[in-house]
Amino acid sequence: MPVLVGYSPHKEDLGALDLACQLARSDGESVHAVSVLPQVWPTVVAGHTDREFEAWVTETGAGCAAEAAAHLGVHDDVPFEASWVSGRSVPQALLDRAAAIGAELVVVGSGDDVAHGQIGITSKTDRLLHSSDVPIVIAPRGYQAGPGATITRITVAFRGDDATWSLLDNVARIARRTRASTRVVTFAIRSRPMYPRRVSGAEDMVHEAWVQQAREEQAEAAAHLRSLGFTDDTLTLAVAEGRSWGGAMDSLDWERGDVLVVGSSSTHRLSQVFLGSSAAKILRHSPVPVVVVR
């Protein structure tokens, strides 16, 4: 199934296109880039202004498709197609195109209000996350993946509940298909204590017990993955501890070729992708592309 990537007109950050090619190359797929232009209002008799606007949309759309194709052509080993559509809603237009071509992933870039290397959620991406029934992949701002780059390691955020066990099985299938290694990570955030240590050490005890439980759940996950054929060379475990989400994320090593997979909220009643509070914090602090799965 092709990888769909949204290309914003005249956007300097081409990280989403690079990431789409990297994902497609890893799984032997193709890339379909699409730009969304404003929709022309239907009128019984088009006036001069309407015709000018329609001509501008057509010309701009063709230019966007050409720009996307020119950059995708750098990745000459990945089959691609570039097109444009008009629509009143950018997220809905992307999802409609994804459904039409049977895309397995939708890739988007970050907003311009974050530093390079960070992930920024725009209003359009936020709507996409709330509306999509396929995984959404978000590239950090300024992301680069040159020709030949592949996904070499998949890190999955693991909570030990039924939802993330299902997520783990999905990641395992993808990792084996793409020959990427897998890292199972549980985030253990240790917030600032409410009481002085000399008054009570209960918070320390609770945190240590929670970390121990996380390690036991990870051991179960490791045993399950080894039963599927994973070895010590292709599987690692980690408990990321920190007093903040940023600190916990920084405690992990990150390499080129890494992606991080998080599940959407397990408490939300909708089946679509919906970020819970933990997933949203992981997303904001991730230094690598993030795949959000429903």
Side-chain angles (χ1 to χ4, degrees):
M1 295 183 181
V3 175
L4 180 75
V5 54
Y7 175 69
S8 298
H10 311 299
K11 188 177 178 67
E12 292 183 3
D13 186 357
L14 302 175
L17 295 177
D18 275 355
L19 177 57
C21 289
Q22 185 180 12
L23 291 165
R25 180 183 296 110
S26 301
D27 207 14
E29 298 292 351
S30 61
V31 171
H32 188 121
V34 61
S35 300
V36 181
L37 278 297
Q39 189 173 45
V40 178
W41 286 93
T43 55
V44 178
V45 179
H48 179 69
T49 302
D50 295 323
R51 288 193 294 271
E52 282 189 343
F53 181 66
E54 184 176 3
W56 175 84
V57 168
T58 302
E59 181 180 356
T60 303
C64 290
E67 287 179 10
H71 188 72
L72 291 172
V74 174
H75 303 268
D76 55 8
D77 59 328
V78 178
F80 71 86
E81 181 180 350
S83 64
W84 67 276
V85 296
S86 60
R88 297 181 183 179
S89 165
V90 172
Q92 191 58 53
L94 289 176
L95 293 177
D96 289 345
R97 179 53 65 93
I101 67 173
E104 192 173 32
L105 298 171
V106 175
V107 183
V108 295
S110 287
D112 296 330
D113 57 345
V114 295
H116 279 260
Q118 293 184 333
I119 289 179
I121 302 297
T122 66
S123 59
K124 292 182 178 66
T125 301
D126 185 65
R127 168 71 186 281
L128 197 61
L129 287 167
H130 284 72
S131 305
S132 178
D133 59 358
V134 298
I136 303 298
V137 190
I138 308 172
R141 186 183 176 197
Y143 184 76
Q144 293 182 332
T150 60
I151 301 301
T152 57
R153 181 172 61 176
I154 304 174
T155 296
V156 55
F158 183 70
R159 294 190 302 263
D161 57 5
D162 290 343
T164 50
W165 269 101
S166 176
L167 178 65
L168 185 66
D169 280 338
N170 288 331
V171 168
R173 283 193 292 270
I174 295 170
R176 296 187 68 187
R177 195 170 70 214
T178 60
R179 296 185 296 278
S181 63
T182 299
R183 178 170 61 175
V184 181
V185 171
T186 302
F187 290 91
I189 310 305
R190 185 170 185 167
S191 58
R192 183 173 300 176
M194 294 178 61
Y195 304 103
R197 291 183 183 273
R198 64 177 182 274
V199 174
S200 172
E203 291 170 350
D204 292 339
M205 294 174 60
V206 169
H207 180 78
E208 290 169 4
W210 190 57
V211 170
Q212 180 59 33
Q213 179 182 342
R215 295 192 189 280
E216 292 172 358
E217 291 170 344
Q218 285 198 342
E220 292 181 21
H224 175 65
L225 291 174
R226 288 191 177 97
S227 73
L228 298 178
F230 284 81
T231 65
D232 291 341
D233 293 333
T234 58
L235 173 63
T236 54
L237 308 174
V239 175
E241 296 186 65
R243 292 195 174 276
S244 66
W245 286 95
M249 196 70 70
D250 289 344
S251 72
L252 299 168
D253 69 286
W254 297 100
E255 304 170 353
R256 286 187 175 273
D258 280 351
V259 295
L260 172 60
V261 179
V262 299
S264 58
S265 173
S266 60
T267 59
H268 197 266
R269 66 182 181 85
L270 297 179
S271 63
Q272 283 84 3
V273 170
F274 188 91
L275 285 180
S277 59
S278 296
K281 291 170 183 174
I282 291 172
L283 200 95
R284 286 198 299 270
H285 292 94
S286 175
V288 300
V290 175
V291 184
V292 185
V293 183
R294 68 187 176 103

